[in-house]
């Protein structure tokens, strides 16, 4: 049944439907509405779960780590500085193969401090071993959370669902929320196995010396890389049951396109409008949404972009001293193609800078190879010049 | 399961910490889950694929054992699993420095967890660097003695007071030198619901510079000179303090350890010892140990 809901409320409702047993979080804008609603849901008795109020994101991540190891379905949400503070725990959780689900309400990072959206937070922990899924709208955000719990528990890997801060978390959109019975049919209502169990004593988090560390890291690498097959299977299950599909990539009018615009997250709505308007002008333009950043859909990108002449990547994160992160990985994937498209990167929307349909049109129509990496920079103000 | 911590681990000869942990966890009995901070205790006991731990045991990071234990406790509660006791353990650096915020959170939230700090008074795993629980005037690799320094200038952090300030229902100190007292305190602690804090003095032969056969002797001397009072607080009230029936001057404790050797040489030799004696005297007055 479709309901008009704020993105955060819709996500919290889905997390409740997933029957989480332990929630731990530390408040940070723009994540707060999600965890506030979960706290109300638990205190109101609608969800039987422990809500652990902690003194930092570091402890929030550590609490869900412990809860997950004890066998509970555990969830946390954060963003930006909070995600960076969690970074050490995130790597550890992936190494311990704990199926925690985390919502990242994507936000830029300090300095200068910003509360507004970009993807620098999530992209900075891309090497941690977490699966990372980016939602383009609130329906996708809701669906990806259900998929995330199933993926996490099937693969024994943590999953991060990235949702653009404010743009999605605070936007009211009609969202189709499944019934409890439908969620239970997709995701077993019972908790996964308990690794910490006095009946079966096991040591978790042992010291690996040079003779075994690489093998452990290789097993994690293979698990994350190989998760694409499981994702494909679960996407099919999801589509069969709910009639919707979310990636790992999704094309829009891209099959016969000369130019493909590639992006992650809510930019895709704007991009699809720009594609329509460029098509109206007779331009053979399409777009491709990257939903799964980890695992990286290299084979899917080669399939989807194999025939385009030019790829325009719009990305909300940058590696200082190098360039766009998403575009670098796309170039890496496409390098194997016999005839490679040009790949142009535009860093856009940092710290909440708006990206309009006109901006997207301009980036697509511009063939200047020497265009600056950061799109649409403004002239310095009088104050900055002095 | 004959012991909580199996032999064959890689701790040094005479290690007070591994002995302290074995005594504590054997006293705790079956049906426990342990969350361990990074440090000597973890490194020496879990070289993959071996493990000394005969109970479900998890090591996550240096600074988060209290939060991991909090999560385990919350998870067990959510799963309706009753009767399993959660114990977190770490060294003095993990407890009083890098993990203090996490420990404060665990205390404040009232998790039903016994936290045991094995206090060997410096970062031994990384090579004897100063921690917040390093005693005054001890020489460590980051507070070396020299022409402008006579060792650690900072006082030992009072973790007992910090735990009591959180309203922790059971707070106690113990020593591997008094193993029956240590085990009795673990068992007493576990009769309380909510957070418990136990700080166990565990001498370190290489870190303190004494013979590895003297660990128990050194530990007993620390107590008998008044530098390591063995106290017990229940619901905020002191319920026991071990009397010093064979009280010794601090000299007798300090003399055997190379970390205090500089206090016995040179022109100003006695000054440092007098400072330390004053700390012991203050402990005796504060807790009524005489």
């Amino acid at each position: 049944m479709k309901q008009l809901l704020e993105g955060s409320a819709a996500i919290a409702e889905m997390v409740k439907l997933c029957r989480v047993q332990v929630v731990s979080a530390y408040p940070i804008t723009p994540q707060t509405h999600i965890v506030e609603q979960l706290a109300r849901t638990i205190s109101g008795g609608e969800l039987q779960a422990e809500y652990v109020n902690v003194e930092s994101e570091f402890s929030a991540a550590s609490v869900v780590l412990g809860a997950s190891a004890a066998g509970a379905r555990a969830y946390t949400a954060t963003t930006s500085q909070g995600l960076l503070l969690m970074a050490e725990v995130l790597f550890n959780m992936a190494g311990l193969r704990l199926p925690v689900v985390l919502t990242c309400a994507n936000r830029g990072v300090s300095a200068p401090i910003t509360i507004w959206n970009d993807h620098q937070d999530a992209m900075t922990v891309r090497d941690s071993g977490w699966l990372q899924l980016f939602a383009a709208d609130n329906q996708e955000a809701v669906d990806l959370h259900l998929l995330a719990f199933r993926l996490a528990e099937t693969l024994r890997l943590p999953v991060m669902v990235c949702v653009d801060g404010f743009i999605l978390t605070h936007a009211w959109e009609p969202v189709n929320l499944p019934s409890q019975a439908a969620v239970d049919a997709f995701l077993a209502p019972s908790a996964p196995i308990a690794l910490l169990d006095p009946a079966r004593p096991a040591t978790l988090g042992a010291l690996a010396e040079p003779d075994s560390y690489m093998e452990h890291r290789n097993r994690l690498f293979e698990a994350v890389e190989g998760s694409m097959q499981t994702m494909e299977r679960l996407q099919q299950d999801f589509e069969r049951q709910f009639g919707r599909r979310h990636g790992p990539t999704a094309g829009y009018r891209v099959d016969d396109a000369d130019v493909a615009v590639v992006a992650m997250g809510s930019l895709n709505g704007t991009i699809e409008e720009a594609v329509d308007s460029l098509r109206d002008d007779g331009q053979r333009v399409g777009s491709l949404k990257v939903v799964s950043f980890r695992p990286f859909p290299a084979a899917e990108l080669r399939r989807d972009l194999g025939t385009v002449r030019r790829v325009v990547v719009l990305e909300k994160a940058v590696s200082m001293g190098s360039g766009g992160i998403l575009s670098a990985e796309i170039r890496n994937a496409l390098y194997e193609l016999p005839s490679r498209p040009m790949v142009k990167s535009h860093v856009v929307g940092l710290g909440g800078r708006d990206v309009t349909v006109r901006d997207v049109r301009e980036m697509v129509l511009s063939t200047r190879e020497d265009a600056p990496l950061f799109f649409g920079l403004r002239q310095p103000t009088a104050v900055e010049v002095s | 399961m004959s012991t909580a911590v199996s032999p064959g681990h890689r701790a040094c000869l005479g290690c007070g910490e591994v002995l302290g942990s074995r005594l504590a966890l054997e006293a705790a009995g079956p049906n426990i889950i342990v969350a361990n901070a990074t440090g000597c205790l973890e490194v020496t006991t879990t070289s993959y694929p071996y493990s000394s731990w005969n109970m479900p045991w998890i090591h996550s990071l240096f600074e988060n054992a209290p939060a991991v234990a909090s999560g385990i406790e919350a998870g067990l509660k959510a799963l309706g699993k009753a009767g399993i006791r959660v114990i977190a353990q770490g060294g003095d650096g993990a407890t009083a420095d890098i993990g203090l915020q996490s420990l404060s959170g665990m205390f404040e939230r009232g998790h039903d967890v016994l936290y045991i700090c094995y206090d060997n008074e410096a970062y031994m795993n990384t090579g004897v660097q100063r921690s917040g629980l390093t005693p005054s005037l001890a020489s460590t690799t980051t507070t070396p003695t020299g022409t402008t320094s006579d060792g650690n200038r900072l006082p030992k952090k009072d973790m007992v007071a910090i735990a009591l300030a959180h309203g922790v229902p059971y707070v106690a100190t113990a020593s591997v030198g008094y193993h029956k007292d240590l085990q009795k305190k673990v068992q007493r602690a576990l009769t309380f619901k909510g957070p418990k804090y136990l700080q166990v003095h565990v001498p370190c032969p290489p870190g303190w510079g004494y013979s590895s056969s003297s660990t128990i002797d050194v530990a007993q001397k620390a107590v008998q000179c008044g530098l390591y009072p063995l106290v017990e607080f229940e619901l905020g009230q002191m319920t026991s303090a071990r009397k010093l029936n064979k009280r010794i001057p601090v000299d007798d404790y300090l003399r055997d350890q190379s970390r205090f050797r500089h206090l016995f040489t040179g022109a100003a030799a006695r000054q440092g010892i007098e400072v330390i004696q004053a700390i012991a005297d203050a402990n005796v007055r504060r807790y009524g140990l005489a």
Side-chain angles (χ1 to χ4, degrees), chain A residues 344-374:
Chain A
K344 176 69 190 165
S345 162
H346 295 279
V347 171
V348 300
L350 298 190
R353 180 71 58 86
D354 199 20
V355 183
T356 64
V357 170
R358 204 169 69 179
D359 294 335
V360 177
R361 282 180 55 99
E362 187 182 327
M363 287 181 270
V364 170
L365 293 172
S366 160
T367 50
R368 270 183 59 199
E369 284 314 309
D370 60 346
L373 179 63
F374 282 48

Side-chain angles (χ1 to χ4, degrees), chain B residues 48 99 108 114 146-147 156 158 205 211 220 257 264 269:
Chain B
Y48 182 85
E108 167 202 322
L114 167 59
T147 50
K156 187 179 176 83
D158 189 348
S211 154
Q220 288 176 347
Q257 304 174 48
F264 292 88

